Amino acid sequence: NNNFHKNDWLNLPNSITLCRIAASPILSLLIAYDYKELALIGCLVSALSDWLDGYIAKNYNMKTVLGAFLDPLADKIFIGSISIGLMSKGLIPLPLVIVIISRDLMLMIGSLYLRSIEKEKDAPFFDTTYSATFEIKPSILSKLNTGCQFTLLISTLSHYAFA
């Protein structure tokens, strides 16, 4: 008996998040090919969409476990992609990019592993109907870190675009 249906996860906030994931490598390429202003606008739209998907999910009762995984994943893909684009232009150093991406990979793998051991055996991976104890809640420190990374990358891109 699988109670996890398409409508349970394919909602507006998750769709916005999926668009942010798809846009991230494109933004990196825009940086690499010197479409600086367009990349900056795309980054600002991505940052706004990060706020918007969370706002809609919280205020319109559209939270999903998948969304709780996708939103931080989208942040990590965005930060990694933009870091690579900026590194390709010599604007941030390779060791910093390695630290950022390695840390984010470890965090994502850790949360997927935690979900795999906490869910009931026959429960769908992203459904908490039968295992409602699992919850992803980013800490204040994690939110601050993501905000600082967004600020660093968008500031660096702004300087690159207008300097």
Side-chain angles (χ1 to χ4, degrees), residues 27-28 30-32 34-44 78 81-83 85-86 89 91-92 149-163:
L27 294 172
S28 181
L30 289 173
I31 295 167
D34 291 323
Y35 292 97
K36 306 168 199 176
E37 295 85 2
L38 193 55
L40 179 59
I41 291 167
C43 286
L44 294 171
F78 173 82
S81 295
I82 301 307
S83 296
L86 292 171
K89 303 310 280 184
L91 299 169
I92 59 174
Q149 288 177 324
F150 268 66
T151 301
L152 168 70
L153 297 175
I154 291 176
S155 297
T156 302
L157 182 55
S158 295
H159 180 74
Y160 178 54
F162 298 114

Side-chain angles (χ1 to χ4, degrees), residues 30-90:
L30 289 173
I31 295 167
Y33 288 102
D34 291 323
Y35 292 97
K36 306 168 199 176
E37 295 85 2
L38 193 55
L40 179 59
I41 291 167
C43 286
L44 294 171
V45 169
S46 287
L48 177 64
S49 76
D50 186 28
W51 170 82
L52 182 63
D53 62 17
Y55 177 84
I56 293 170
K58 289 174 195 156
N59 291 295
Y60 293 94
N61 196 28
M62 294 185 180
K63 288 184 179 182
T64 64
V65 174
L66 179 61
F69 275 107
L70 282 180
D71 190 63
L73 176 64
D75 291 344
K76 288 162 184 21
I77 290 171
F78 173 82
I79 289 167
S81 295
I82 301 307
S83 296
I84 290 168
L86 292 171
M87 181 198 65
S88 76
K89 303 310 280 184

Side-chain angles (χ1 to χ4, degrees), residues 10 15 18 36 56 59 61 75 91 93 97 99 124 140 146:
L10 190 56
S15 297
L18 289 169
K36 306 168 199 176
I56 293 170
N59 291 295
N61 196 28
D75 291 344
L91 299 169
V97 174
V99 167
I140 301 271
T146 300

Side-chain angles (χ1 to χ4, degrees), residues 81-152:
S81 295
I82 301 307
S83 296
I84 290 168
L86 292 171
M87 181 198 65
S88 76
K89 303 310 280 184
L91 299 169
I92 59 174
L94 175 62
L96 178 59
V97 174
I98 291 171
V99 167
I100 289 170
I101 292 174
S102 299
R103 175 193 170 273
D104 288 346
L105 281 173
M106 288 188 290
L107 286 171
M108 292 308 298
I109 291 167
S111 33
L112 291 171
Y113 174 73
L114 184 61
R115 173 65 181 151
S116 72
I117 62 172
E118 288 195 359
K119 76 175 192 65
E120 292 189 20
K121 183 180 178 190
D122 295 329
F125 196 82
F126 292 110
D127 182 14
T128 57
T129 304
Y130 305 105
S131 56
T133 60
F134 185 78
E135 187 176 6
I136 299 174
K137 291 179 86 171
S139 68
I140 301 271
L141 183 59
S142 177
K143 288 181 178 188
L144 181 63
N145 180 62
T146 300
C148 287
Q149 288 177 324
F150 268 66
T151 301
L152 168 70

